[in-house]
Amino acid sequence: MIAHLHTAGIEDGDAILLVDLGCNGSVQNAVAPALERSMGATVAGRYLLLREAACSGLDKRGLADADVFDTPTLHALATCIAVVEQMCNVEQGSTIDFAADVTPIRKAYVLNPAQHAVREPIQTAAIAYACTARDGRLDPDPPAVPADEERDRAVPGVRSRQNLCSEPSSGCSTRPKRATACACGD
């Protein structure tokens, strides 16, 4: 993994941001100590949903986390996280290792055709909304949703559904920086 990061331009001492759907941040729990020790890297994690089972003390934040929601709400959101994961995935297996040339080795991608039939229209609708929403309102004259090939090239080397809109949404707000204390729910 370290060789892969070096190949990607990450140098010793750099900051590394792990971005994932999340829930507990277990990948960060496993790799952050090794990256900090071997590369002197600063590792942070940002998640769609963060509900740590035990406070790790690591730099983690979630769009939905203990700063935003109470423990019962986080538990309710995390109970069916597999549904959220299905809606957010792409047709690409998870990385399980790296080849000698640091190319990712992936698990086989397997998705039931019925699941694909459900996922695809949801992702297409979410992309259309993201491309038409401005300041929380729908644009009365929305741009066309990019074609699959254009979407897939949005982030080189990764089939991604990010960076799809022709112009950035205006009026975005940023959350204030969270205190370093862990705010885990019971």
Side-chain angles (χ1 to χ4, degrees):
M1 177 173 56
I2 293 168
H4 177 75
L5 292 172
H6 283 144
T7 300
I10 306 296
E11 298 178 12
D12 290 353
D14 280 354
I16 298 172
L17 184 63
L18 301 173
V19 179
D20 195 5
L21 291 175
C23 199
N24 187 46
S26 55
V27 171
Q28 183 180 359
N29 293 347
V31 304
L35 294 173
E36 290 167 358
R37 186 175 50 256
S38 62
M39 295 180 67
T42 302
V43 180
R46 298 299 180 260
Y47 303 94
L48 178 65
L49 171 66
L50 179 62
R51 184 204 64 174
E52 289 190 276
C55 294
S56 65
L58 300 175
D59 181 358
K60 296 180 183 181
R61 281 196 235 163
L63 182 63
D65 65 12
D67 284 350
V68 181
F69 296 106
D70 62 13
T71 300
T73 302
L74 289 174
H75 284 299
L77 291 169
T79 299
C80 297
I81 195 66
V83 175
V84 174
E85 289 173 346
Q86 178 184 331
M87 295 306 109
C88 297
N89 73 15
V90 294
E91 295 178 29
Q92 172 178 300
S94 297
T95 300
I96 55 173
D97 204 350
F98 295 93
D101 68 353
V102 299
T103 303
I105 298 171
R106 300 186 184 281
K107 284 171 47 173
Y109 176 79
V110 179
L111 182 66
N112 179 307
Q115 288 175 302
H116 178 74
V118 169
R119 182 197 66 200
E120 197 61 32
I122 291 170
Q123 288 181 347
T124 299
I127 291 164
Y129 176 80
C131 290
T132 60
R134 302 289 183 257
D135 297 321
R137 298 179 304 271
L138 286 178
D139 187 333
D141 187 26
V145 176
D148 284 343
E149 299 80 29
E150 198 172 324
R151 280 195 311 231
D152 296 341
R153 286 192 310 268
V155 177
V158 178
R159 292 202 61 192
S160 176
R161 305 256 190 231
Q162 301 174 19
N163 300 326
L164 303 173
C165 301
S166 57
E167 59 185 81
S169 171
S170 60
C172 295
S173 62
T174 57
R175 289 176 44 192
K177 185 170 181 162
R178 165 168 130 171
T180 56
C182 186
C184 298
D186 295 326

